[in-house]
Amino acid sequence: MPRSTRDADVSHDLREAIHRTGYYPEVVADGVFSAAGGEEVVSYFVHHETTFEHEEVRRHLTALLLTPTRLVIAHTDEHPGDDMLPEPYTSTTTEAVTLTSIRTVVVTRMVANPTKGVAPPAEAVLTIGWGGVGRVDLEPAGCSDPSCEADHGYTGTIAGDDYTLRVSAAAEGADAVGALLAFSDALSSRTRG
């Protein structure tokens, strides 16, 4: 769950949240705090999920943390032994993005039964763009003449899509949805230009 305070360092709370997941807490915390580079943590979100790969069940943990100058995204996955590492192992990948580089913070809230008024969102999606990854969606172009056989080339869109995280009350609980929204608010308030 997140904590966000403009003036307080919530590193201790983040460490406790990582330990509560029970998912290799020392390994995860080492990677997360190494990526933080000694900066205070002003907000965070920890997302522990189970993934299914073929006939295996694996766990995955994502930690988002906000420092006064950067957004840090850390992913830790577990792997079975392989040719390079015969024993089971984890891999932690971190990315640190300066807050001044962030171009977009997109938050989508899904509310069930909107005719009943405001209710806690059943789902939330956070998409963050900083220009590191782009997506091009192309499709054949056409015209309105159904008998036309001319080549009209292609049409499409280019979209930035650096990072997206979806949280659902049905899967992770209503508190997790609220926590992601609180982190999103903290990120948005620090990236407004």
Side-chain angles (χ1 to χ4, degrees):
M1 294 302 129
R3 296 289 169 115
S4 176
T5 308
R6 250 210 192 297
D7 301 314
D9 182 358
V10 293
S11 298
H12 178 75
D13 296 338
L14 170 57
R15 189 175 299 277
E16 285 181 354
I18 291 169
H19 277 269
R20 275 193 305 276
T21 69
Y23 181 76
Y24 309 110
E26 292 81 15
V27 172
V28 171
D30 182 59
V32 166
F33 285 102
S34 175
E39 282 191 274
E40 70 179 17
V41 177
V42 296
S43 185
Y44 66 88
F45 179 75
V46 175
H47 185 244
H48 183 210
E49 66 181 324
T50 302
T51 58
F52 300 93
E53 186 175 305
H54 304 289
E55 296 178 5
E56 294 186 28
V57 176
R58 299 212 180 142
R59 296 177 300 158
H60 171 86
L61 189 131
T62 299
L64 306 176
L65 54 138
L66 185 59
T67 75
T69 63
R70 297 177 303 142
L71 165 69
V72 177
I73 303 169
H75 300 284
T76 301
D77 292 290
E78 60 186 354
H79 308 276
D82 55 30
D83 293 340
M84 296 289 287
L85 294 169
E87 295 183 44
Y89 63 96
T90 62
S91 62
T92 300
T93 304
T94 59
E95 182 169 10
V97 181
T98 59
L99 294 179
T100 56
S101 298
I102 294 175
R103 297 178 185 168
T104 59
V105 177
V106 180
V107 181
T108 305
R109 302 163 188 250
M110 281 67 92
V111 176
N113 298 316
T115 57
K116 293 183 178 180
V118 178
E123 227 174 80
V125 179
L126 169 63
T127 301
I128 307 165
W130 55 89
V133 177
R135 182 182 74 239
V136 178
D137 294 323
L138 294 176
E139 62 184 40
C143 67
S144 59
D145 181 359
S147 62
C148 179
E149 294 182 14
D151 181 357
H152 294 286
Y154 289 88
T155 185
T157 59
I158 298 174
D161 193 17
D162 293 301
Y163 182 75
T164 298
L165 179 63
R166 175 181 172 219
V167 177
S168 162
E172 290 92 7
D175 288 346
V177 174
L180 181 62
L181 292 172
F183 179 83
S184 300
D185 290 349
L187 179 61
S188 289
S189 72
R190 289 187 176 262
T191 55
R192 63 178 176 237

